[in-house]
Amino acid sequence: MNALEYKDFYDNVGKRIGWDFSKMKCVSEALPWDFYNEVTKVTKKSDLLLDIGTGGGEAILSIADAGLLLVGIDHSTGMMETATKNAAKSGIPNVRFLQMDAEQLDHSSKVTTHVTQNLTKKGYS
């Protein structure tokens, strides 16, 4: 699939079934550690975090107290709608969500302390 096909896929699936994975239980056999837990270990309360491919935002909402400001980006309209709803329900004030293509980031590297990536598109890990 090309980039436009990926975006259309994620937008269409999001409209049909939603992207809220907050109640989903996941077991990872390949990784003996929790990635976002590791992020919180090296994050200071004054840090700014950028989560690329944030999906519904559940992961960064769960670690919101780890930093000063957390920003989640995703290319999918459906995922951003879910993330925005999840943020509103949570009432967490220091998390923001922006619809943005990870290949064309619109931010200054001077203001981001940590970057996490949650992309599964071929060519990303």
Side-chain angles (χ1 to χ4, degrees), residues 36 48-61 69-76 79-81 83-84 87 94-102 105 114 116 118:
Y36 286 96
L48 310 175
L49 286 85
L50 173 64
D51 187 37
I52 299 172
T54 199
E58 299 88 359
I60 66 167
L61 285 167
L69 176 66
L70 292 79
V71 177
I73 67 165
D74 205 290
H75 197 229
S76 168
M79 289 185 179
M80 285 295 87
E81 289 170 357
T84 301
N94 65 324
V95 177
R96 307 285 185 278
F97 295 103
L98 302 170
Q99 186 170 355
M100 190 181 304
D101 184 344
L105 292 179
H114 299 284
T116 62
N118 189 18

Side-chain angles (χ1 to χ4, degrees), residues 113-125:
T113 311
H114 299 284
V115 177
T116 62
Q117 184 178 12
N118 189 18
L119 299 177
T120 56
K121 178 180 168 186
K122 187 175 181 180
Y124 292 92
S125 57

Side-chain angles (χ1 to χ4, degrees), residues 14-118:
K15 287 176 187 168
R16 284 195 345 256
I17 63 171
W19 288 111
D20 187 352
F21 298 107
S22 60
K23 294 182 175 63
M24 179 181 273
K25 286 181 111 179
C26 297
V27 176
S28 178
E29 295 176 10
L31 300 175
W33 50 274
D34 177 347
F35 176 73
Y36 286 96
N37 183 46
E38 296 299 316
V39 170
T40 63
K41 289 179 184 178
V42 297
T43 303
K44 298 179 207 139
K45 296 286 185 190
S46 59
D47 286 348
L48 310 175
L49 286 85
L50 173 64
D51 187 37
I52 299 172
T54 199
E58 299 88 359
I60 66 167
L61 285 167
S62 73
I63 63 166
D65 61 343
L68 179 66
L69 176 66
L70 292 79
V71 177
I73 67 165
D74 205 290
H75 197 229
S76 168
T77 302
M79 289 185 179
M80 285 295 87
E81 289 170 357
T82 300
T84 301
K85 288 176 188 172
N86 287 340
K89 280 194 287 189
S90 75
I92 296 171
N94 65 324
V95 177
R96 307 285 185 278
F97 295 103
L98 302 170
Q99 186 170 355
M100 190 181 304
D101 184 344
E103 293 179 354
Q104 299 174 357
L105 292 179
D106 183 18
H107 83 290
S108 169
S109 60
K110 295 178 182 173
V111 298
T112 303
T113 311
H114 299 284
V115 177
T116 62
Q117 184 178 12
N118 189 18

